[in-house]
Amino acid sequence: MGIIPAAPAAEPVIVPYLRGLKPTPSNITNAARALARLAELAWEPLEGYPGADNRWRMRCFCGWTGTRWWSHLRGRNNDNTPRPENRHEGCIPMARHAETIARLYTPSTTCPCSPSDHTASHPTTPDAAADLLKSVDRARRSADHQELNRLVTLLLGPCPAASVRAQALLELADRRKK
């Protein structure tokens, strides 16, 4: 009886906005929350969401680039104050942070974006997010990487309504727990 060769390992699926993470509902929700908060704080991520306990390359509004821990930027104990409060050594004075952020970040409650493929917009309700997450699961199971990337971009790509989108995903996660 011959030795049956092992099947080749499946290549990891690389998706936008998630650095080394599978596009699961939990990872997408956590990434959406993190990306929305970074937008609110006027940080620009230079790579996909790596998870809470990993360094994340980003750019400050003053032009500095370096790494930060998401767990430090999100605040503690339901206090949204990022730690440390000063952004990094050499940044503009803290007294000017709020005005600079207000100039750079204008939140929206609806998605004003027009995706290049005109097939969908960024979800801003739990139901729209649920529909997209179902589509992500289908694309992942069928190994349709192009569709998977398009859908993950709708869930995590830059949008003035990123905070509303993150809230919709959090509400959906809460619904699923019940």
PDB file of all heavy atoms in Angstrom, residues 4 12 35 44 58-59 62 64 66 71 75 78 84 108 137 142 150 155 164 169 176:
ATOM      1  N   ILE A   4      -0.119   7.946   0.744  1.00  0.00           N
ATOM      2  CA  ILE A   4      -0.926   8.964   0.082  1.00  0.00           C
ATOM      3  C   ILE A   4      -0.337  10.321   0.445  1.00  0.00           C
ATOM      4  O   ILE A   4      -0.212  10.646   1.630  1.00  0.00           O
ATOM      5  CB  ILE A   4      -2.402   8.887   0.523  1.00  0.00           C
ATOM      6  CG1 ILE A   4      -2.958   7.513   0.165  1.00  0.00           C
ATOM      7  CG2 ILE A   4      -3.220  10.003  -0.104  1.00  0.00           C
ATOM      8  CD1 ILE A   4      -4.339   7.254   0.720  1.00  0.00           C
ATOM      9  N   PRO A  12      -3.235  31.041   2.718  1.00  0.00           N
ATOM     10  CA  PRO A  12      -4.036  31.936   3.548  1.00  0.00           C
ATOM     11  C   PRO A  12      -4.716  32.984   2.670  1.00  0.00           C
ATOM     12  O   PRO A  12      -4.161  33.417   1.671  1.00  0.00           O
ATOM     13  CB  PRO A  12      -3.013  32.569   4.483  1.00  0.00           C
ATOM     14  CG  PRO A  12      -1.693  32.377   3.818  1.00  0.00           C
ATOM     15  CD  PRO A  12      -1.819  31.160   2.960  1.00  0.00           C
ATOM     16  N   LEU A  35     -11.062  50.957  13.221  1.00  0.00           N
ATOM     17  CA  LEU A  35     -10.868  51.893  12.111  1.00  0.00           C
ATOM     18  C   LEU A  35     -11.709  53.157  12.294  1.00  0.00           C
ATOM     19  O   LEU A  35     -11.256  54.262  11.987  1.00  0.00           O
ATOM     20  CB  LEU A  35     -11.178  51.206  10.784  1.00  0.00           C
ATOM     21  CG  LEU A  35     -10.171  50.126  10.378  1.00  0.00           C
ATOM     22  CD1 LEU A  35     -10.737  49.245   9.278  1.00  0.00           C
ATOM     23  CD2 LEU A  35      -8.851  50.756   9.962  1.00  0.00           C
ATOM     24  N   GLU A  44      -4.133  57.710  10.686  1.00  0.00           N
ATOM     25  CA  GLU A  44      -4.299  57.008   9.414  1.00  0.00           C
ATOM     26  C   GLU A  44      -3.587  55.664   9.492  1.00  0.00           C
ATOM     27  O   GLU A  44      -2.356  55.619   9.599  1.00  0.00           O
ATOM     28  CB  GLU A  44      -3.703  57.830   8.275  1.00  0.00           C
ATOM     29  CG  GLU A  44      -3.779  57.148   6.939  1.00  0.00           C
ATOM     30  CD  GLU A  44      -2.981  57.867   5.862  1.00  0.00           C
ATOM     31  OE1 GLU A  44      -2.425  58.945   6.114  1.00  0.00           O
ATOM     32  OE2 GLU A  44      -2.911  57.315   4.748  1.00  0.00           O
ATOM     33  N   MET A  58       0.898  53.348  11.717  1.00  0.00           N
ATOM     34  CA  MET A  58      -0.034  54.411  11.376  1.00  0.00           C
ATOM     35  C   MET A  58       0.679  55.739  11.235  1.00  0.00           C
ATOM     36  O   MET A  58       1.836  55.886  11.609  1.00  0.00           O
ATOM     37  CB  MET A  58      -1.183  54.488  12.381  1.00  0.00           C
ATOM     38  CG  MET A  58      -0.806  54.605  13.816  1.00  0.00           C
ATOM     39  SD  MET A  58      -2.248  54.472  14.911  1.00  0.00           S
ATOM     40  CE  MET A  58      -2.663  52.755  14.771  1.00  0.00           C
ATOM     41  N   ARG A  59      -0.046  56.705  10.683  1.00  0.00           N
ATOM     42  CA  ARG A  59       0.470  58.053  10.473  1.00  0.00           C
ATOM     43  C   ARG A  59      -0.369  59.028  11.298  1.00  0.00           C
ATOM     44  O   ARG A  59      -1.591  58.953  11.312  1.00  0.00           O
ATOM     45  CB  ARG A  59       0.389  58.430   8.990  1.00  0.00           C
ATOM     46  CG  ARG A  59       0.901  59.839   8.685  1.00  0.00           C
ATOM     47  CD  ARG A  59       0.868  60.165   7.187  1.00  0.00           C
ATOM     48  NE  ARG A  59       1.799  59.294   6.492  1.00  0.00           N
ATOM     49  CZ  ARG A  59       1.453  58.434   5.532  1.00  0.00           C
ATOM     50  NH1 ARG A  59       0.197  58.322   5.140  1.00  0.00           N
ATOM     51  NH2 ARG A  59       2.348  57.672   4.953  1.00  0.00           N
ATOM     52  N   CYS A  62       0.275  65.037  12.046  1.00  0.00           N
ATOM     53  CA  CYS A  62       1.437  65.928  11.899  1.00  0.00           C
ATOM     54  C   CYS A  62       2.454  65.374  10.902  1.00  0.00           C
ATOM     55  O   CYS A  62       3.431  66.053  10.583  1.00  0.00           O
ATOM     56  CB  CYS A  62       2.100  66.166  13.262  1.00  0.00           C
ATOM     57  SG  CYS A  62       3.026  64.741  13.882  1.00  0.00           S
ATOM     58  N   TRP A  64       4.086  62.320  11.337  1.00  0.00           N
ATOM     59  CA  TRP A  64       4.870  61.262  11.979  1.00  0.00           C
ATOM     60  C   TRP A  64       4.301  59.908  11.604  1.00  0.00           C
ATOM     61  O   TRP A  64       3.093  59.731  11.507  1.00  0.00           O
ATOM     62  CB  TRP A  64       4.804  61.460  13.493  1.00  0.00           C
ATOM     63  CG  TRP A  64       5.455  60.397  14.318  1.00  0.00           C
ATOM     64  CD1 TRP A  64       6.750  60.367  14.745  1.00  0.00           C
ATOM     65  CD2 TRP A  64       4.831  59.216  14.844  1.00  0.00           C
ATOM     66  NE1 TRP A  64       6.981  59.241  15.496  1.00  0.00           N
ATOM     67  CE2 TRP A  64       5.811  58.515  15.573  1.00  0.00           C
ATOM     68  CE3 TRP A  64       3.554  58.675  14.767  1.00  0.00           C
ATOM     69  CZ2 TRP A  64       5.556  57.312  16.220  1.00  0.00           C
ATOM     70  CZ3 TRP A  64       3.293  57.473  15.403  1.00  0.00           C
ATOM     71  CH2 TRP A  64       4.291  56.803  16.125  1.00  0.00           C
ATOM     72  N   GLY A  66       4.745  55.678  12.644  1.00  0.00           N
ATOM     73  CA  GLY A  66       5.310  54.762  13.614  1.00  0.00           C
ATOM     74  C   GLY A  66       4.268  53.732  13.986  1.00  0.00           C
ATOM     75  O   GLY A  66       3.262  53.570  13.292  1.00  0.00           O
ATOM     76  N   SER A  71      -4.907  48.680  21.571  1.00  0.00           N
ATOM     77  CA  SER A  71      -5.412  48.591  22.943  1.00  0.00           C
ATOM     78  C   SER A  71      -5.104  49.862  23.735  1.00  0.00           C
ATOM     79  O   SER A  71      -5.826  50.189  24.672  1.00  0.00           O
ATOM     80  CB  SER A  71      -4.845  47.365  23.649  1.00  0.00           C
ATOM     81  OG  SER A  71      -3.431  47.402  23.662  1.00  0.00           O
ATOM     82  N   GLY A  75      -8.738  53.555  24.642  1.00  0.00           N
ATOM     83  CA  GLY A  75      -9.157  54.000  25.965  1.00  0.00           C
ATOM     84  C   GLY A  75      -9.372  52.802  26.874  1.00  0.00           C
ATOM     85  O   GLY A  75      -9.248  51.653  26.470  1.00  0.00           O
ATOM     86  N   ASN A  78     -14.346  51.927  29.450  1.00  0.00           N
ATOM     87  CA  ASN A  78     -15.396  52.751  28.833  1.00  0.00           C
ATOM     88  C   ASN A  78     -15.078  54.234  28.839  1.00  0.00           C
ATOM     89  O   ASN A  78     -15.945  55.068  28.694  1.00  0.00           O
ATOM     90  CB  ASN A  78     -16.762  52.488  29.485  1.00  0.00           C
ATOM     91  CG  ASN A  78     -17.220  51.072  29.226  1.00  0.00           C
ATOM     92  OD1 ASN A  78     -17.016  50.539  28.133  1.00  0.00           O
ATOM     93  ND2 ASN A  78     -17.820  50.454  30.228  1.00  0.00           N
ATOM     94  N   PRO A  84      -1.255  56.828  25.548  1.00  0.00           N
ATOM     95  CA  PRO A  84      -1.113  58.059  26.301  1.00  0.00           C
ATOM     96  C   PRO A  84      -1.901  59.176  25.638  1.00  0.00           C
ATOM     97  O   PRO A  84      -2.173  59.124  24.442  1.00  0.00           O
ATOM     98  CB  PRO A  84       0.388  58.343  26.247  1.00  0.00           C
ATOM     99  CG  PRO A  84       0.839  57.705  24.971  1.00  0.00           C
ATOM    100  CD  PRO A  84      -0.057  56.508  24.772  1.00  0.00           C
ATOM    101  N   SER A 108     -20.282  61.473   9.550  1.00  0.00           N
ATOM    102  CA  SER A 108     -21.550  61.479   8.828  1.00  0.00           C
ATOM    103  C   SER A 108     -22.400  60.324   9.351  1.00  0.00           C
ATOM    104  O   SER A 108     -21.868  59.299   9.762  1.00  0.00           O
ATOM    105  CB  SER A 108     -21.285  61.293   7.331  1.00  0.00           C
ATOM    106  OG  SER A 108     -22.496  61.234   6.621  1.00  0.00           O
ATOM    107  N   ASP A 137     -19.376  35.485   4.147  1.00  0.00           N
ATOM    108  CA  ASP A 137     -19.270  34.057   4.464  1.00  0.00           C
ATOM    109  C   ASP A 137     -19.395  33.204   3.198  1.00  0.00           C
ATOM    110  O   ASP A 137     -18.627  32.262   2.991  1.00  0.00           O
ATOM    111  CB  ASP A 137     -20.328  33.671   5.500  1.00  0.00           C
ATOM    112  CG  ASP A 137     -20.155  32.246   5.981  1.00  0.00           C
ATOM    113  OD1 ASP A 137     -19.027  31.891   6.413  1.00  0.00           O
ATOM    114  OD2 ASP A 137     -21.132  31.470   5.905  1.00  0.00           O
ATOM    115  N   SER A 142     -16.771  29.825  -0.850  1.00  0.00           N
ATOM    116  CA  SER A 142     -16.612  29.460  -2.265  1.00  0.00           C
ATOM    117  C   SER A 142     -15.250  29.868  -2.820  1.00  0.00           C
ATOM    118  O   SER A 142     -14.984  29.676  -4.007  1.00  0.00           O
ATOM    119  CB  SER A 142     -17.728  30.106  -3.099  1.00  0.00           C
ATOM    120  OG  SER A 142     -17.557  31.515  -3.124  1.00  0.00           O
ATOM    121  N   ARG A 150     -13.951  42.689  -2.196  1.00  0.00           N
ATOM    122  CA  ARG A 150     -14.913  43.774  -2.443  1.00  0.00           C
ATOM    123  C   ARG A 150     -15.832  43.956  -1.236  1.00  0.00           C
ATOM    124  O   ARG A 150     -16.074  45.076  -0.774  1.00  0.00           O
ATOM    125  CB  ARG A 150     -15.746  43.467  -3.694  1.00  0.00           C
ATOM    126  CG  ARG A 150     -16.696  44.603  -4.094  1.00  0.00           C
ATOM    127  CD  ARG A 150     -17.584  44.192  -5.252  1.00  0.00           C
ATOM    128  NE  ARG A 150     -18.639  43.295  -4.842  1.00  0.00           N
ATOM    129  CZ  ARG A 150     -19.761  43.686  -4.225  1.00  0.00           C
ATOM    130  NH1 ARG A 150     -19.973  44.952  -3.952  1.00  0.00           N
ATOM    131  NH2 ARG A 150     -20.692  42.801  -3.883  1.00  0.00           N
ATOM    132  N   LEU A 155     -17.237  46.783   4.118  1.00  0.00           N
ATOM    133  CA  LEU A 155     -17.405  46.744   5.572  1.00  0.00           C
ATOM    134  C   LEU A 155     -16.335  47.530   6.319  1.00  0.00           C
ATOM    135  O   LEU A 155     -16.587  47.999   7.428  1.00  0.00           O
ATOM    136  CB  LEU A 155     -17.394  45.288   6.060  1.00  0.00           C
ATOM    137  CG  LEU A 155     -18.657  44.505   5.733  1.00  0.00           C
ATOM    138  CD1 LEU A 155     -18.395  43.009   5.787  1.00  0.00           C
ATOM    139  CD2 LEU A 155     -19.776  44.893   6.685  1.00  0.00           C
ATOM    140  N   VAL A 164     -20.799  55.124  12.401  1.00  0.00           N
ATOM    141  CA  VAL A 164     -22.155  54.577  12.333  1.00  0.00           C
ATOM    142  C   VAL A 164     -22.093  53.121  11.862  1.00  0.00           C
ATOM    143  O   VAL A 164     -22.809  52.263  12.388  1.00  0.00           O
ATOM    144  CB  VAL A 164     -23.041  55.433  11.393  1.00  0.00           C
ATOM    145  CG1 VAL A 164     -24.407  54.816  11.186  1.00  0.00           C
ATOM    146  CG2 VAL A 164     -23.174  56.847  11.946  1.00  0.00           C
ATOM    147  N   LEU A 169     -22.450  47.271  13.228  1.00  0.00           N
ATOM    148  CA  LEU A 169     -21.853  45.945  13.399  1.00  0.00           C
ATOM    149  C   LEU A 169     -21.872  45.510  14.864  1.00  0.00           C
ATOM    150  O   LEU A 169     -22.112  44.344  15.165  1.00  0.00           O
ATOM    151  CB  LEU A 169     -20.428  45.936  12.854  1.00  0.00           C
ATOM    152  CG  LEU A 169     -20.335  45.878  11.328  1.00  0.00           C
ATOM    153  CD1 LEU A 169     -18.975  46.357  10.837  1.00  0.00           C
ATOM    154  CD2 LEU A 169     -20.626  44.474  10.823  1.00  0.00           C
ATOM    155  N   ARG A 176     -26.866  38.880  17.939  1.00  0.00           N
ATOM    156  CA  ARG A 176     -26.491  37.468  17.747  1.00  0.00           C
ATOM    157  C   ARG A 176     -26.205  36.781  19.072  1.00  0.00           C
ATOM    158  O   ARG A 176     -26.317  35.563  19.170  1.00  0.00           O
ATOM    159  CB  ARG A 176     -25.302  37.358  16.818  1.00  0.00           C
ATOM    160  CG  ARG A 176     -25.682  37.706  15.393  1.00  0.00           C
ATOM    161  CD  ARG A 176     -24.521  37.607  14.461  1.00  0.00           C
ATOM    162  NE  ARG A 176     -24.989  37.759  13.094  1.00  0.00           N
ATOM    163  CZ  ARG A 176     -24.208  37.790  12.034  1.00  0.00           C
ATOM    164  NH1 ARG A 176     -22.912  37.654  12.184  1.00  0.00           N
ATOM    165  NH2 ARG A 176     -24.726  37.951  10.845  1.00  0.00           N
TER     166      ARG A 176
END
